[in-house]
């Protein structure tokens, strides 16, 4: 199992956690796991160097605080393992220009920046992501729904390389958990929760003041009806709150529908706000304690990079040989 997250915000958000990171933690029980903070991906859009360095550490601290266990997972920073960029180049040479042009995340992000201003790195972003995955021979990749197309490209590139040069890569499967594959914006429950949301009130940041999160939940957009039922088409807002509630408590949607049968939206929101505060408060304390000892945190990341490199160098050596590069003397 391998996955990554970008250090491009001051905090992870609830969509990151429920859609992906919770699965990262669980999969440690059953799989060999590689998890990374993808700083190479982050610089595909402009970053302030000081802020990027800080956010990379805060990202690692959040992963540890959520339960990524460095004794069971290789937890590392992408730029510490140079083989990612090296494999990416080889895969870029196997990717069609048209194929890369069809990536919807690129099209959306480039449109926001003005197509001419988007970097070439933003264009090749999904190929670097394929390199991330294929380097570790990952069988599955825990992500949210928005990464499905990138995963499809990784699969195609693995198959293409294997076909052309002989079996080299495992063809990875997306590991997307249906109930939480897409957490929606609280103010606009037909769009996904995202750090680039139009209103900050639609986004729950795990490191923001818990009182603020509670307020956002209490003022989440719901419809004019009264019934608390799961109906993503007709009742997008309420359904999103039910999904979040269910994921945070382990109670099934059906159970929740039953227990809120005679209650109103206000009750649901009030209870969910409390549940969220109970979750984020101790989480924030753990993050703080990891950040209080940066030298220890950096050591954990160095150890993770070493473990990752052991695997990455092996794969890259095979790839270089297969494509016909001359070995060093
Ligand atoms: P990133 O940093 O945007 O997001 C991290 C993870 O959070 C998931 N996610 C969501 N899930 C459910 N609902 C939402 N509203 C929501 N918003 C975000 C994302 O699907 C993702 O799993 N390209 C990746 C980073 C990456 C990567 C990789 C992932 C780089 N290399 C290799 C897997 C394997 C990204 O931008 O994620």
């Amino acid at each position: 199992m391998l996955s990554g997250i970008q250090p491009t915000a001051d905090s992870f958000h609830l969509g990151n956690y429920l859609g992906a990171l919770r699965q990262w933690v669980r999969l440690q029980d059953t799989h060999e796991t590689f998890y990374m903070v993808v700083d190479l991906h982050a610089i595909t859009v402009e970053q302030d160097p000081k802020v990027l360095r800080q956010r990379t550490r805060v990202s690692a601290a959040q992963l540890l605080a959520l339960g990524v266990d460095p004794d069971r997972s290789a937890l590392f920073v992408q730029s510490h393992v140079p083989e990612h960029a090296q494999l990416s180049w080889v895969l870029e040479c196997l990717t069609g220009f048209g194929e890369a042009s069809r990536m919807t995340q690129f099209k959306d992000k480039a449109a926001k920046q003005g197509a001419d201003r988007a970097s070439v790195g933003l264009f090749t972003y999904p190929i670097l992501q394929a390199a991330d995955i294929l380097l570790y021979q990952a069988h599955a990749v825990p992500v949210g729904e928005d990464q499905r197309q990138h995963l499809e490209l990784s699969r195609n590139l693995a198959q293409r390389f294997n076909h052309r040069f002989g079996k080299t890569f495992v063809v990875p499967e997306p590991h997307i958990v249906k109930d939480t594959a897409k957490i929606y914006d609280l103010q606009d429950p037909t769009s996904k929760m995202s750090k680039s949301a139009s209103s900050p009130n639609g986004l729950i940041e795990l490191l923001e003041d818990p009182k603020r999160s509670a307020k956002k939940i209490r003022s989440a957009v719901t419809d004019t009806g009264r019934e608390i039922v799961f109906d993503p088409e007709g009742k997008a807002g309420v359904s999103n709150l039910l999904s979040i509630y269910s994921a945070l408590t382990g109670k099934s949607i059906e159970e929740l529908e039953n227990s809120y049968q005679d209650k109103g939206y206000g009750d649901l929101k009030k209870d969910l706000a409390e549940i969220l505060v109970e979750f984020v408060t101790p989480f924030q304390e753990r993050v703080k304690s990891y950040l209080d000892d940066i030298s220890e945190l950096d050591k954990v990341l160095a150890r993770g990079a070493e473990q990752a490199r052991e695997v990455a160098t092996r794969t890259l050596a095979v790839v270089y040989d297969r494509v016909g590069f001359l070995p060093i003397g």
Side-chain angles (χ1 to χ4, degrees), residues 296-313:
E296 179 55 31
L297 180 70
D298 287 354
K299 261 191 232 152
V300 166
L301 294 174
R303 190 153 56 90
E306 212 177 291
Q307 292 165 342
R309 276 204 89 180
E310 247 175 63
V311 183
T313 49

Side-chain angles (χ1 to χ4, degrees), residues 3 6 13 15-16 20 41 125 129 132 143-144 146-147 181 183 193:
S3 200
Q6 297 200 67
H13 61 72
N16 296 138
H41 279 106
Y125 176 117
Q129 182 166 348
D132 295 341
V143 285
D146 61 353
Q147 297 299 312
I183 300 297
M193 184 178 283

Side-chain angles (χ1 to χ4, degrees), residues 3-234:
S3 200
I5 185 158
Q6 297 200 67
T8 45
D10 292 329
S11 167
F12 294 160
H13 61 72
L14 195 58
N16 296 138
Y17 173 60
L18 296 179
L21 305 177
R22 224 159 61 109
Q23 277 61 254
W24 294 22
V25 173
R26 290 183 174 172
L27 289 163
Q28 296 178 118
D29 296 339
T30 47
H31 291 75
E32 190 186 350
T33 40
F34 292 85
Y35 296 133
M36 62 183 166
V37 180
V38 294
D39 52 352
L40 299 179
H41 279 106
I43 64 161
T44 56
V45 296
E46 201 175 325
Q47 301 294 336
D48 176 310
K50 257 217 239 98
V51 175
L52 178 61
R53 201 166 288 127
Q54 168 68 4
R55 285 175 171 175
T56 300
R57 285 200 178 102
V58 175
S59 296
Q62 288 178 91
L63 292 174
L64 291 166
L66 287 172
V68 171
D69 172 0
D71 289 330
R72 292 189 293 157
S73 294
L75 172 64
F76 62 102
V77 174
Q78 190 185 28
S79 64
H80 291 175
V81 183
E83 287 75 16
H84 290 252
Q86 291 175 284
L87 179 60
S88 183
W89 176 254
V90 175
L91 297 177
E92 278 173 39
C93 297
L94 287 184
T95 309
F97 198 84
E99 188 178 26
S101 308
R102 283 192 290 277
M103 294 291 120
T104 55
Q105 285 212 341
F106 168 72
K107 287 197 276 190
D108 293 349
K109 284 190 186 171
K112 267 188 204 150
Q113 293 185 20
D116 281 349
R117 276 205 271 148
S119 71
V120 175
L122 191 65
F123 184 64
T124 57
Y125 176 117
I127 308 169
L128 176 61
Q129 182 166 348
D132 295 341
I133 297 165
L134 303 186
L135 261 184
Y136 299 93
Q137 308 289 4
H139 287 82
V141 184
V143 285
E145 180 61 39
D146 61 353
Q147 297 299 312
R148 194 181 285 280
Q149 196 190 28
H150 289 171
L151 261 293
E152 200 49 42
L153 178 71
S154 303
R155 290 172 57 78
N156 289 340
L157 290 174
Q159 280 160 344
R160 193 170 307 156
F161 191 100
N162 288 348
H163 183 71
R164 202 166 296 173
F165 300 105
K167 172 103 185 65
T168 307
F169 293 124
V170 169
V171 180
E173 298 280 344
H175 178 90
I176 299 175
V177 174
K178 193 171 147 277
D179 294 343
T180 49
K182 192 167 177 184
I183 300 297
Y184 293 88
D185 186 296
L186 299 177
Q187 288 299 317
D188 173 12
T190 54
S191 312
K192 77 168 177 183
M193 184 178 283
S194 146
K195 57 199 162 219
S196 51
S198 51
S199 154
N201 291 334
L203 174 75
I204 300 283
E205 291 186 297
L206 301 184
L207 291 177
E208 72 190 358
D209 181 350
K211 284 196 214 97
R212 197 171 139 89
S213 298
K215 206 165 153 201
K216 289 180 186 177
I217 295 277
R218 286 196 304 265
S219 53
V221 165
T222 40
D223 55 275
T224 50
R226 304 180 48 113
E227 253 194 309
I228 298 180
V229 287
F230 189 75
D231 168 14
E233 301 270 302

